[in-house]
Amino acid sequence: MQLIKKNKALFLTSLIFGLLYATISLVNHYLFRTYALDLGLYTNAIYKYAHFQIADSEMIKSVSEPILGGHFDLYLIIFSPLVYLFGTYTLLIVQVVAVVFGGIGVHQFFKKIKPKHQLIPIFATVYFYTFFGVFGAFSFDYHSVVIAACIIPWFLLAVYSHKKTTSTVLLLLMLIAQENVSIALLFICLALIIEHRKNRGTVLHLLKLFTISLLYFLVVMFIVIPSFSAENTYTGFLYSSLGETPFQAVKTIITHPIDSFVMLFTNHNNSIYGDYIKLELHLIMVFSGLLFLLKKPHFIMMLLPIYFQKLFHDNYSMWGIGDHYNIEFAPIMAIGVFIVISEFKKPKLVNGLAIGVLVLSIASTIRTMDSTIHFTDKSRIRFYQAKHYQKDYAVKTVYQQLKMIPKEASVSAQSPFVPHLSLRENIYQFPIIKDAEYIVYSKKEGFYPLNEEEFTNAIQALESSGEWEVISNEEVVILKKK
């Protein structure tokens, strides 16, 4: 806090963007634009952790399985006490604070490591805050990878400052966000080893951090997660074009480098809506300053695992520029691009390049809000339009209806209503019902994970079964078990 108070520009910038992020994320939640996946599931998890219970995935799965059998995310345990203060908004508030914290980290990096140019720290901070991946993250619920990504600037600052204990602690803090963060940290450590190769002490320290990350990845992926999983295996590896396991994927990339490279630019599994989505990402990255990193290629190395995890994935929606799948680019791009710019000798050239890349990056971000090849719900991200603050039904009425459901009752609800009902022991995403005493749905919302016909048939079957009674039928329908 002292840091922010002493720097008015940093304080005002962080405050403005913090409020801006809140108008996206918190407004979306209030207007039922957050969903069972991921906010509902994670909010229910922190509720259970806060009550000293094992968080599970019964909300979205027919079998009982600890949530750690999906992603090994320990942040949810750490943040769980905050649920008593902020309720269903807890993780969204944490995410806003984390990104502001990340921007301050970018500022401090340049203030301490590259102090020659006075304007570079604030330029780099604004670049980070306005990066398209940051806004995308706020348009889509909560994810712990966002928190880990915002620690990266502080980690880089610690490494460049030769603070071994601090960098070790920060690396461990990032590792526990999710199992795949360890892959990104492997590449970051390798890239930093290349950059600091003349400093033997730093290289040895980074080799230790690399080893910690590698061991963490192997233990969590092949021992810890399978021990929690109902299937006794890691089910999150969805890269069938490379192989069935991470080892097969690495082998494919090494033995077929040209084919693998081509996959980074093409609709490699012929997804029906997958054409040009990767091209759009590459163009946005170029306009965000990627070509500057050709002068510091070790920063491109840091980006490789992010590209690989996105562009080799089986699901084409992962390839694009939406949601939270691009947040990890932000800290590396912000620091790498502005390190390159700061090393030019002429101050006017430095300032001109900084302003130019910032303008192009902001234009790219606006492009992701305005028009994209892959469909995204623009009402979730266009904070500058009235539609973002509106809903086509009476939201206040829905909140009044939801109050009719006892806090201890088991509930099955349509996806947009799950996050608001997740502070209870048993909550399920409809059409999973199990022991639910209440069912909540609305035909004015999306039907995921069903299509419209399946949803209609499921509702008709419930209403005609004689086992449920309608206790409220206004903006949403609430059924109660007889």
Side-chain angles (χ1 to χ4, degrees):
M1 289 301 294
Q2 280 298 117
L3 164 67
I4 295 180
K5 289 180 180 178
K6 289 180 180 179
N7 192 313
K8 291 183 179 179
L10 178 61
F11 172 77
L12 289 174
T13 302
S14 300
L15 177 63
I16 289 169
F17 280 100
L19 293 174
L20 180 57
Y21 300 149
T23 65
I24 298 173
S25 184
L26 305 190
V27 169
N28 278 339
H29 184 52
Y30 177 76
L31 294 178
F32 298 100
R33 294 196 199 107
T34 53
Y35 303 96
L37 286 174
D38 294 316
L39 187 63
L41 181 65
Y42 293 154
T43 301
N44 183 246
I46 63 173
Y47 171 84
K48 288 182 176 176
Y49 286 140
H51 289 80
F52 303 101
Q53 300 173 16
I54 299 297
D56 56 59
S57 301
E58 286 198 59
M59 175 189 294
I60 57 171
K61 294 186 177 182
S62 57
V63 296
S64 178
E65 174 186 277
I67 196 171
L68 295 175
H71 288 304
F72 194 70
D73 181 350
L74 300 184
Y75 281 180
L76 299 177
I77 299 174
I78 296 172
F79 299 142
S80 61
L82 297 175
V83 78
Y84 292 108
L85 293 176
F86 305 114
T88 65
Y89 287 83
T90 299
L91 294 175
L92 301 178
I93 293 172
V94 167
Q95 193 164 248
V96 170
V97 172
V99 173
V100 170
F101 180 74
I104 295 171
V106 171
H107 184 277
Q108 284 303 98
F109 179 91
F110 285 99
K111 197 77 174 175
K112 294 187 177 182
I113 306 303
K114 297 287 183 180
K116 181 180 177 181
H117 299 283
Q118 294 183 348
L119 294 178
I120 285 293
I122 200 66
F123 280 143
T125 304
V126 173
Y127 175 95
F128 174 82
Y129 282 150
T130 58
F131 191 77
F132 77 95
V134 172
F135 278 90
F138 284 116
S139 73
F140 185 78
D141 288 24
Y142 163 89
H143 207 284
S144 289
V145 169
V146 176
I147 314 302
C150 294
I151 299 174
I152 290 176
W154 296 96
F155 173 73
L156 294 176
L157 173 59
V159 171
Y160 277 75
S161 303
H162 308 290
K163 294 181 178 179
K164 295 179 180 179
T165 301
T166 302
S167 61
T168 302
V169 170
L170 291 175
L171 178 123
L172 294 173
L173 192 57
M174 287 186 285
L175 283 174
I176 64 174
Q178 192 171 295
E179 65 283 350
N180 63 325
V181 172
S182 57
I183 301 174
L185 290 173
L186 289 174
F187 281 77
I188 289 175
C189 288
L190 282 176
L192 291 173
I193 287 171
I194 293 172
E195 182 172 11
H196 296 274
R197 59 190 177 278
K198 295 182 180 179
N199 188 319
R200 185 172 182 274
T202 300
V203 168
L204 290 175
H205 175 60
L206 288 167
L207 283 172
K208 292 178 183 177
L209 297 184
F210 176 89
T211 304
I212 291 171
S213 300
L214 179 60
L215 291 174
Y216 186 88
F217 171 76
L218 294 174
V219 170
V220 170
M221 283 283 287
F222 298 104
I223 298 176
V224 177
I225 291 180
S227 71
F228 286 107
S229 171
E231 300 177 30
N232 296 316
T233 187
Y234 179 71
T235 59
F237 188 79
L238 303 172
Y239 300 88
S240 60
S241 296
L242 297 178
E244 298 302 320
T245 68
F247 295 121
Q248 291 178 7
V250 173
K251 181 181 177 181
T252 299
I253 293 171
I254 293 173
T255 58
H256 298 86
I258 296 177
D259 292 339
S260 300
F261 180 77
V262 170
M263 285 171 59
L264 296 174
F265 298 88
T266 60
N267 182 359
H268 65 269
N269 57 10
N270 296 314
S271 295
I272 189 170
Y273 298 113
D275 292 343
Y276 308 114
I277 289 180
K278 293 179 182 179
L279 175 62
E280 181 176 43
L281 171 68
H282 293 309
L283 289 175
I284 290 293
M285 288 293 290
V286 167
F287 278 99
S288 297
L290 181 66
L291 296 182
F292 280 98
L293 300 188
L294 293 175
K295 196 173 181 181
K296 297 279 186 180
H298 55 279
F299 279 100
I300 295 178
M301 179 183 288
M302 295 183 192
L303 298 177
L304 288 180
I306 311 172
Y307 276 117
F308 290 171
Q309 290 180 75
K310 283 176 60 63
L311 302 181
F312 289 138
H313 202 278
D314 291 342
N315 186 346
Y316 73 91
S317 65
M318 293 281 290
W319 308 342
I321 58 178
D323 299 340
H324 59 270
Y325 302 118
N326 300 288
I327 182 69
E328 295 156 291
F329 287 125
I332 297 169
M333 288 287 288
I335 290 178
V337 167
F338 281 87
I339 280 181
V340 172
I341 291 174
S342 69
E343 291 182 354
F344 285 93
K345 294 181 179 180
K346 296 181 179 180
K348 288 185 178 180
L349 178 60
V350 169
N351 291 337
L353 289 174
I355 293 171
V357 76
L358 185 56
V359 170
L360 287 174
S361 178
I362 292 173
S364 299
T365 299
I366 294 172
R367 170 66 165 76
T368 67
M369 297 178 181
D370 182 62
S371 178
T372 56
I373 292 173
H374 175 52
F375 172 78
T376 53
D377 183 357
K378 300 300 188 297
S379 64
R380 295 192 316 195
I381 194 170
R382 289 176 174 171
F383 64 91
Y384 49 85
Q385 290 188 351
K387 190 175 180 180
H388 174 68
Y389 306 91
Q390 299 168 351
K391 196 76 173 180
D392 56 3
Y393 57 77
V395 170
K396 291 184 179 179
T397 300
V398 177
Y399 282 109
Q400 290 299 320
Q401 289 182 266
L402 296 183
K403 287 180 180 179
M404 299 173 65
I405 302 173
K407 292 182 179 180
E408 68 279 1
S410 299
V411 179
S412 173
Q414 207 170 347
S415 182
F417 308 116
V418 168
H420 297 270
L421 296 164
S422 57
L423 302 182
R424 63 189 65 241
E425 187 170 341
N426 296 317
I427 174 72
Y428 312 110
Q429 178 182 237
F430 186 80
I432 297 174
I433 297 177
K434 297 183 181 181
D435 62 346
E437 303 164 80
Y438 293 83
I439 296 176
V440 181
Y441 65 89
S442 171
K443 293 182 180 179
K444 297 179 180 179
E445 282 289 356
F447 307 110
Y448 180 85
L450 307 175
N451 60 40
E452 185 173 1
E453 181 180 357
E454 292 170 336
F455 178 85
T456 301
N457 291 338
I459 294 303
Q460 289 177 348
L462 286 170
E463 294 177 345
S464 62
S465 67
E467 298 178 5
W468 301 86
E469 62 176 324
V470 178
I471 64 169
S472 184
N473 186 359
E474 294 181 74
E475 298 294 354
V476 300
V477 177
I478 300 178
L479 305 182
K480 181 181 178 182
K481 189 82 171 180
K482 290 184 179 179

